């Protein structure tokens, strides 16, 4: 049988959405650059496949209808299909849950993965997402994307994979003309942004998906533009705490530091203090113990040359819902831009906010 048939015919045991951890040690699409990709057509309709999926998936009386993406249509009958690459990771899983709960959005029941073939299914509130193995000896990542685009028209990809996979994954999406939202941090951002912009592929790329945090980030940027050098002579210290699994420096911290430098601080990003050990997170940063595995606490402190004046800015986030909801809003924003055939194709979260996305949480199911 084909991988697609197996994805709907097997009956994986239900598992907690938060119990899965992203485990690949190499980018999921390591092989795509050396393989030629071709579109794969499907002879069965999405509706028929999802009727099969409903029979194969574990029964969940309270949310059984969510097993079918068509059930998530909004009042106009419109559905936005979303593939989440990295669905087994914490951030990818939180985003997938938000997709399932949001009116007018539907989770594509498979994704690209480089995880072990024997443990590739993730249950997202009753929707079983099969990880299509595209590592060494697996399927061609580009062919899987083309098949998904044919089966789920207008599909948009969300990427929450690994920092070392960012550039290769973006190149994959560009190569196959697949619109995407890149939530994964790290990689060579300048090269990625330049390549995506030149390709004309619709994309939202941002290191920070939490809309309120982005609004603060935009306010700092505006202040720097309006009052350059206002904090010249001040000393800046930056401390950021994240779960121990986050290896890289926060992209948000880097962006805020850039604004402070425009204000005259002269701070080197390498001097950002990364707090990853539990005693310091609890004792120094004040992170609640129940959120040690999912938090983002940032403190920016400015002190005058003589030490008589200080300013402190903080943004502390517990959990991942703020980022997950913002990511789904970015998908909705991108779809509107695609439908309008907007001449601009590359966006960030500030564009999403300017597009009126601040109120979109209200469209989620309670």
């Amino acid at each position: 049988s084909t991988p697609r048939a197996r994805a709907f015919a097997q009956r994986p045991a239900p598992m907690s959405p938060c119990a899965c951890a992203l485990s690949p040690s190499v980018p999921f699409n390591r092989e795509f650059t050396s393989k030629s990709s071709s579109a794969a057509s499907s002879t069965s309709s999405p509706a028929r496949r999802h009727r099969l999926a409903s029979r194969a998936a574990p029964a969940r009386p309270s949310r059984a209808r969510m097993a079918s993406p068509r059930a998530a249509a909004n009042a106009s009958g419109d559905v936005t299909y979303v593939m989440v690459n990295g669905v087994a990771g914490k951030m990818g899983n939180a985003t997938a849950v938000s997709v399932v709960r949001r009116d007018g959005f539907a989770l594509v029941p498979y994704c690209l993965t480089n995880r072990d073939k024997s443990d590739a299914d993730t249950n997202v509130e009753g929707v079983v997402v099969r990880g299509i193995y595209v590592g060494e000896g697996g399927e061609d990542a580009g062919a899987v994307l083309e098949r998904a685009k044919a089966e789920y028209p207008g599909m948009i990809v969300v990427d929450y994979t690994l920092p070392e996979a960012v550039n290769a994954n973006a190149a994959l999406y560009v190569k196959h003309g697949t619109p995407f939202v890149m939530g994964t941090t790290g990689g060579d951002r300048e090269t990625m942004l330049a390549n995506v912009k030149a390709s004309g592929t619709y994309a939202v790329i941002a290191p920070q998906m939490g809309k309120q945090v982005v609004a603060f980030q935009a306010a700092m940027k505006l202040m720097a533009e309006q009052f350059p050098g206002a904090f010249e002579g001040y000393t800046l210290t930056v401390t950021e705490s994240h779960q121990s699994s986050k290896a890289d420096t926060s992209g948000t911290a880097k962006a805020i530091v850039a604004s402070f430098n425009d204000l005259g601080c002269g701070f080197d990003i390498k001097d950002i203090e990364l707090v990853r050990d539990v005693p310091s997170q609890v004792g120094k940063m004040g992170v609640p113990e129940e959120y040690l595995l999912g938090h983002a606490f940032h403190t920016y402190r400015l002190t005058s040359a003589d030490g008589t004046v200080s300013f402190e800015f903080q943004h502390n986030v517990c959990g991942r819902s703020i980022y997950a909801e913002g990511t789904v809003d970015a998908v909705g924003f991108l779809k509107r831009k695609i439908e309008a055939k907007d001449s601009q194709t590359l966006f960030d979260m500030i564009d999403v906010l300017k597009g009126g996305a601040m109120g979109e949480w209200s469209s989620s199911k309670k």
Side-chain angles (χ1 to χ4, degrees), residues 15-347:
M15 54 201 302
S16 168
C18 294
C20 303
L22 191 61
S23 61
S25 58
V26 296
F28 67 70
N29 61 338
R30 181 178 61 182
E31 298 296 309
F32 90 90
T33 54
S34 62
K35 295 181 180 180
S36 60
S37 302
S38 59
S41 61
S42 173
T43 57
S44 58
S45 68
R48 181 177 181 273
R49 281 189 295 278
H50 289 296
R51 285 196 295 272
L52 293 174
S54 299
R55 292 198 290 270
R60 300 180 80 259
S62 61
R63 299 189 67 84
R65 72 187 188 91
M66 295 309 295
S68 168
R70 289 294 180 188
N74 59 21
S76 66
D78 188 30
V79 176
T80 301
Y81 294 110
V82 184
M83 173 186 283
V84 179
N85 290 328
V87 70
K90 293 180 174 63
M91 193 60 244
N93 195 277
T95 300
V97 169
S98 292
V99 170
V100 170
R101 293 178 176 178
R102 185 75 69 92
D103 287 331
F105 290 77
L107 185 62
V108 172
Y110 58 90
C111 66
L112 307 181
T113 184
N114 197 52
R115 301 181 75 208
D116 184 88
K117 300 177 188 179
S118 64
D119 185 28
D121 290 344
T122 303
N123 190 314
V124 182
E125 300 211 341
V127 179
V128 178
V129 180
R130 166 57 52 87
I132 303 298
Y133 183 70
V134 294
E136 186 174 356
E139 289 199 43
D140 177 71
V144 176
L145 269 184
E146 293 293 347
R147 183 166 72 235
K149 288 165 58 180
E151 294 174 346
Y152 302 98
M155 181 190 77
I156 295 174
V157 171
V158 168
D159 189 294
Y160 275 113
T161 55
L162 296 170
E164 58 265 35
V166 164
N167 290 90
N169 293 354
L172 172 69
Y173 307 143
V174 165
K175 182 178 181 180
H176 293 276
T178 306
F180 66 97
V181 173
M182 178 62 75
T184 312
T185 59
D188 184 342
R189 307 300 282 194
E190 290 186 7
T191 297
M192 173 174 60
L193 290 169
N195 291 343
V196 173
K197 184 175 183 179
S199 74
T201 301
Y202 282 92
V204 174
I205 300 176
Q208 169 62 254
M209 292 292 176
K211 295 183 295 185
Q212 290 74 16
V213 178
V214 172
F216 167 68
Q217 183 178 322
M220 293 302 302
K221 184 176 181 180
L222 180 62
M223 182 166 68
E225 291 172 351
Q226 295 292 319
F227 309 108
F231 286 97
E232 187 172 352
Y234 276 67
T235 299
L236 174 66
T237 59
V238 181
T239 307
E240 59 102 323
S241 175
H242 288 260
Q243 58 278 3
S244 59
S245 61
K246 181 173 176 59
D248 59 325
T249 302
S250 164
T252 302
K254 292 178 181 178
I256 297 296
V257 164
S259 293
F260 277 123
N261 282 341
D262 289 340
L263 287 163
C265 293
F267 184 84
D268 192 327
I269 286 175
K270 293 185 295 185
D271 293 329
I272 295 176
E273 180 184 359
L274 308 184
V275 179
R276 298 294 185 266
D277 64 291
V278 171
S280 297
Q281 289 176 332
V282 174
K284 178 180 179 179
M285 303 298 292
V287 179
E289 292 188 11
E290 61 268 32
Y291 289 107
L292 287 172
L293 297 180
H295 71 277
F297 277 40
H298 292 206
T299 301
Y300 311 87
R301 185 177 179 84
L302 293 157
T303 306
S304 64
D306 62 4
T308 61
V309 181
S310 65
F311 294 83
E312 191 170 277
F313 300 82
Q314 285 188 342
H315 52 90
N316 298 338
V317 176
C318 293
R320 297 179 175 84
S321 62
I322 185 175
Y323 312 120
E325 293 291 346
T327 301
V328 181
D329 288 341
V331 171
F333 166 87
L334 195 60
K335 181 179 181 179
R336 292 193 293 274
K337 292 298 182 179
I338 294 169
E339 291 177 340
K341 298 181 179 177
D342 199 298
S343 59
Q344 180 180 346
T345 58
L346 179 60
F347 306 92

